[in-house]
Each structure stands twice: as structure tokens, then as C-alpha cells.
Amino acid sequence: MSPSSYIVVGSGVFGASTALSLIRKHPEASITLIDRDSFDGPKRVAASWDWNKVVRADYSDIVYTKLALEAQHLWRTDPIWKPFYHESGVVWITPTSFAKQVQKNFTELGVEADLQICSVEEARTLYNGLFEEADYAGVKEVLVNKTSGWAEAKEALQNTIKTAVDLGVKYITSEVTAIEFDNNHGQRRCCGIKTANGESLAAERVILCTGAFTPKLLIDSDPGWSDLHAGQRIVAAAVTEAVAPMTAQQSSILDTMPVGINDNPVERGCDVGCLPLPNINAVKYWGQVIFKNTVKHPITNTQLSVPPSQPDYAQWEVPLALKDDVRQGPESMFGKKQLHQDLEAFRICWEALTPSSDFIISPHLACEGLFIATCGSFHGYKFLPVLGKYVVEMLCGELDPSLEKRWAWDRHLPSTELNSKWPTKELGDLSSDG
């Protein structure tokens, strides 16, 4: 017999997709989606609240290639998401063999796509020479996939939640401060959540889709129960982004502009990228510096990374060093001559990462009735149409065994030495410039 009540905490990409899939699977159940922010508010702290996000199946890992292709089909065809998807193409500049691996994955999966591997000389001529002066240091080949693109992020997220609410999901705007427990034959069991205003909400199953807030929420819920805590499984990390308005002379570029991603300069950290924003006549950039905010927990003295304590995570209070990081984007993507732009609306985007960059979609093995579905690791948004399907499969005990193992709460934690997205810098150090 299926449980009659669920609470989904967090209405970002994991929470929204989960709520929609749950109400479709169990229309008779009581399903509550709770978040500190209204889903149709002008600003939110969710990583999935954004101007736009990349939608691509370009992965070196064939598992995520397959999942992304499934999601991309729904981006193209489902009326919930189709209005917000734009198949602009993607140009990916990297000194690695990434392009060949992407092409191999598509071939192995029998997928036809307008995908090609170009020489640097060819890449310089594409899109009317837009990337002619990009940073091609060490690059031998460039991936061009015209069947990739981008989505209007907050609009697609809002429509997902609205659809779930229209089907019967109850949306509550309130901050969750703790998980609540009862005792079931000597074993502690999750029985609900507590909000900042002191209200308790009960449910048979609680699913945490809480992103960067997850480690703090778990440790705050019971500081003395170490098996409940995230430990080394999850780190709260962030990247900076900004928009660059186009001049009247530049605006025509947006008509045909693809997503651009460049791993250069590699010494700066992760990749840098840009996406067209034709609705506001601008281009969005993200930076290369991934950072954390390590603090000492006041009760356990545990060191953990958390977003800043302000209600909006201080996401608009961006240190100069991080602004300068994003300002490197136009030069890396387009060189000094091609597209001179001034950046504005700098924002810090907080996300939950795992050492392997895999999601966590799993029961919490230390606590019956508690489930975890989070850790987009800076690549989760594109899976918005399908994440909930896999969360519901997990809840029903029907998740594919290989995915169950890969997304498990308790799993092998690899070294982060080769994970370019793993944070190596501290927000406090980056803020020392004032």
C-alpha cells in the first residue's frame, strides 16, 4: 500500500520535478511542497532560479548522456517545458578529448544528432566568426552540437510547479528549520518537519530536495546524531554569474548565438560559459572559480560549508574578486576584439555537490521515512523533466539497480582531485578585498 502523505522540502529542480511526478503517480495522496520562497516570486535562492540554463546531452559519461537525451525529448515535445526551450546549439572549446567521447556516446546509443567535431580553424569561422578570437590554447578540436540549447530557467521551473499545484499539490511558503522524528519500535523515524515559525507538519515520507542547505538542515535537526549528518557526501559550493547587455549594434548576434563553453584558461579553474538572453537583449556569463563558505557549527564544532545566513544567501553581494572572475568570460569566449561588454547584475549561485558529481536520489539509511533527492552538482537543471520520475522510482523500490548504486546515500566517495567543479577557495578569502 502506498503512503498517503508526502512532504517535499525545497522547490528547486529536484523538488519541483518530484512533486509533479508524485501527484501524477499518487493523485489520491496528500503531497506538500514547501520552500522558503514563493515559487512565483521575483527572486529566489534556488540554484535553478536563473535567467537561463544549458540543456545538453553532451557528456563524457554515457549514463548522463542517456538521461539527458530522455530529458531533452521532453523539452522539445511536452507542453510543460516546450515553450521555454531554445535549440540554439552549443560550441564547446576544450584541450581535452571530450568531443570524441561525446561523439562516441551518441554513436553507441544509436542517436542521430547534428553533431560534429571541428578543427580550430573551422571553429573560428562558425556563427559569422563569433568565436574567431576565443582562447584556443592547447585545443585541437571543438565540439559543435546544434541539437543542444538552453532553457528559460525560472519560467520553466515555475510552470512545473504550477502544473503540480493545479493537479493537487499543496504549496507552502515557509522556511524549514528541522526534521522531526518519532520512535518506531526502538528505531528513530522521520515523521515530519518544523518551520521557522514553530509550526510542525507531519507526513509518512519526507523528501529533502534542499540543495546547498542540506548539510546544515541535517546537522541542525539533531546535532548529536552523526549518522544523520551529510559528512563528506555533500558540500555547499557556489559560482558567480552576471549578464552583459548588448548594444544596438551587437543585438543581432543573439538571433543565431549558440551556448558557448570554454575550458580555457584551465589554470583558472572550471569552465567558463555564456548563453544568449534575447528576451532582455543580453548575454549571461558564468565564472570559473568554484568556492565554499566553511563555518564551524555552533553545537558540534564541525566544519561545514553553508550558504551565507542572510535570507537570500547574500546572493547579490558579490566580492570584487568574483566579479573580476566573471569579467574574464567575454575575453575567453570571444577575445578582446569581437565582443566588448560591460557586465552587471552579478549573482552568486549556491549548489550542492558530491565528490563524484553524481546526484543523490536515495533513502537516508540511518532514518526510516527520510529520503534525499538533491546534489545537482552544477549540471542538474537540464534533467528537470525527468528527475521526479527517478525519485518516484526510488520511493517505490523500482529504481534501476545501477542508478540505485550510483545515487545511493552510502556509496564510495572518490577523490576530488580531478573534479574541476570541486571548490578549492573560500568565500571569506575572496571577500577580503572588501
Side-chain angles (χ1 to χ4, degrees), residues 365-401:
L365 298 187
C367 184
E368 183 184 352
L370 181 63
F371 302 84
I372 313 295
T374 192
C375 296
S377 297
F378 291 122
H379 70 110
Y381 184 90
K382 66 183 71 67
F383 300 100
L384 172 63
V386 299
L387 281 172
K389 165 192 164 182
Y390 292 101
V391 175
V392 170
E393 287 180 0
M394 177 271 295
L395 293 168
C396 296
E398 299 171 354
L399 188 61
D400 180 274

Side-chain angles (χ1 to χ4, degrees), residues 14-56:
F14 280 86
S17 189
T18 295
L20 178 58
S21 293
L22 270 176
I23 196 67
R24 285 172 163 174
K25 178 77 171 179
H26 305 294
E28 74 292 343
S30 170
I31 300 168
T32 298
L33 179 59
I34 185 168
D35 194 285
R36 69 177 70 197
D37 296 321
S38 170
F39 73 86
D40 55 358
K43 294 179 181 179
R44 297 185 53 194
V45 299
S48 46
W49 183 96
D50 205 340
W51 294 284
N52 57 5
K53 293 286 191 184
V54 182
V55 176
R56 60 176 175 86

Side-chain angles (χ1 to χ4, degrees), residues 1 17 75 79 88 95 103 111 133 164 173 208 216 240 255 261 267 270 290 292 306 327 355 357 385:
M1 184 174 178
S17 189
W75 281 110
S88 63
Q103 189 177 61
V111 176
E133 299 296 329
T173 303
L208 299 186
K216 185 178 189 303
T240 311
D255 296 338
I261 302 173
E267 63 273 9
C270 195
I290 310 294
K292 54 188 174 177
V306 298
R327 287 184 178 122
S357 293

Side-chain angles (χ1 to χ4, degrees), residues 39 65 97 115 242 256 430:
F39 73 86
T65 301
S97 58
L115 182 155
T256 58
L430 295 164

